[in-house]
Amino acid sequence: MTHLAIRGLTKRFSGQTEAAVADLNLEIESGSLVALLGPSGCGKTTTMKMVAGLLEPTAGDILFDEKSIINIAPERRGAVMVFQNYLLFPYMTIAQNVGYGLKIRKVDRAIIDQRVSEILEMVRLPGIESRRPSELSGGQQQRVALARALVVEPRLLLLDEPLSNLDAHLRFELRDLIRDIQQKMGITTVFVTHDQEEAVVLADKVALILDGRLRQYADADVFYKRPADEATARFFGGQNFISGTSANGTFEAALGSLKLPSDAPEGTGILTFRPENVRIGAAADGENTLQAKLTDKIFLGTQTRLKLAVGDDIITAIANPNDVEGYLVDQEVPLSLPPATLWVLTK
Amino acid sequence: MKWERVRIPLMLGPTMAIITILFFGSLGFGFLQSLGYQPQIGNTGFSLDAYYAVMFSERSASQFWPGLALTLWVASASTFISAALAVGLSLLLRRTFFGKKLAVFLFQLNLPIPHLVIAVGMLLLFAQSGLVARFAGELGIIDAPRDFPVLTRDPYGLGIILAYIWKEVAFFGIIVMAVLQSLGEDYEAVAQSLGANRWQRFRTVTLPLIMPGLMSASIIVFAFTFGTYEVPRILGVQHPKMLPVLALEYFLNPDLNARAEGMALSIIIAVIVFALVFLYMYVSARTVRKS
């Protein structure tokens, strides 16, 4: 159980004008599971490698339990990293791979064998000790890589895109496994992902990094309800952005006046709301009801996406296909935007 | 479909024919000569006399066995030291530093230089009358050039080993650097993250990963240094002589009867190299099976 603090962490690679990671600050509670989320090249793996000690920061500090570890060699930090492409040693058996960290620590052979068996049991791969990495599927290899990291009981477990090389059903399976083991062992865990769904489902808290900067660090639901800025909202699937002014609990825009939640920021800004929170047709009642014209309707299987014009503004809505089955393009449709689902992004 | 099946063998045919004729033809011809078959001087019978003469006759045995020992020593030492140096230098050159491109260029500069030039260069530099000895004398490090250690034309083949190292480090380096580049540093990062220090990472991760490439290169270098005569001819002593030099001398002997012994010695060299290569392949295959 280790508390991780990242203070002003910056990484600038030689020959590059922009910092890969810029002035990153993060507090990760002991025993929690945190996702570093962001698109490819945003600096999340760079951040993780700096925490592991595999990359030297240009500036800033990293603290484990309030003690700086910036000058401690990676092999003595106790931060074990699991890589995206498993990286099991191909010339070793599974038992040798899993027991590697213990052997390096000169642990007694009998204890290594016992710990290896226990940990393989934990990752639900019992009895594969004598097999070779090449004989395992991708999902099995990733579980072995996880076991190899867990067996040394690290202070901090760092998972770099642990699920991205796996197909859908394996991803779900391993996601649950990681969560279960993390809860059971209570190891402070940081994982990197570009998949927002994975971050939301798996993590206690999510840190969104865009262009090397931390945009928002919060519980997963906050990113949907109270995004920090337009880029954050867009990253989480936000599609509705309407310019106007927020004052006295009301948002004034070209499409009319809309009632806001009581904690909405005031001033010139952008109104945002999620497509799934737009109520349409019979469901549209109460406050913030508007008359719109249906301009586009796309069936997505389990959902239907609708484009609705209110004056010059286009609102995107997502609805249950059964609820909007009868609506036709160019038809007038009532919609409502419940105040609690609205948020204002001030500049 | 039928055409597809024969297309590749047909395309490879001409090249394979040339290789087969040149390799097996010369080997076969050499083998026949080693058995005493030389119709041009009237010898049409077959015997193992030349082999016996080379290994056990009073005249040749005193040359053969010390020569074999020296050849094994020179080939093994050259191969091992070149491989070790190349691994160390390749690992250093993998790091990022100012002037890295120049360092890599210098490291590989030896590759196109012929062995003969390297041998002559060794002589000019490291002989007791060579440049290094003269400089050492001028600088007062040694009293006179003759005090300089005997590094060329010495009975232990030190000059020969140095020349081979000078040349083969670059060859090993190209292979090791290519392997290291294709592997990247992630495996070592995993080991480091799991607690392995620099030496443990090298011993348990880097070395096993580069070993297949290193062993293949070692076989080539060992076979080459065991069977080639230019460098030992220039840098070696009269006794003991390395086996390829002995074979050459037999072959160049004006007495055509000695050619059978030269060929017998060449066949012995080939058999030893083949035997050692097969032994290596057997041992490595067994090790893989066992592990």
Side-chain angles (χ1 to χ4, degrees), chain A residues 75 80-81 91 100 105 132, chain B residues 190 192-194 204-205 291:
Chain A
E75 59 266 33
V80 176
M81 189 159 166
Y91 47 89
Y100 181 82
R105 288 166 175 77
R132 299 234 150 222
Chain B
V190 168
Q192 188 172 24
S193 163
L194 287 164
T204 61
V205 178
S291 60

Side-chain angles (χ1 to χ4, degrees), chain A residues 54 74-75 79-81 83 87-89 91-93 100-101 104-106 132 148, chain B residues 186-187 189-198 200-201 204-205 208-209 288 291:
Chain A
L54 302 174
E75 59 266 33
V80 176
M81 189 159 166
F83 288 72
L87 296 171
L88 299 181
F89 305 124
Y91 47 89
M92 290 183 189
T93 62
Y100 181 82
I104 287 298
R105 288 166 175 77
K106 298 186 169 45
R132 299 234 150 222
R148 181 173 62 179
Chain B
D186 283 351
Y187 280 108
V190 168
Q192 188 172 24
S193 163
L194 287 164
N197 61 31
R198 195 184 290 270
Q200 286 170 325
R201 291 198 296 277
T204 61
V205 178
L209 286 171
V288 168
S291 60

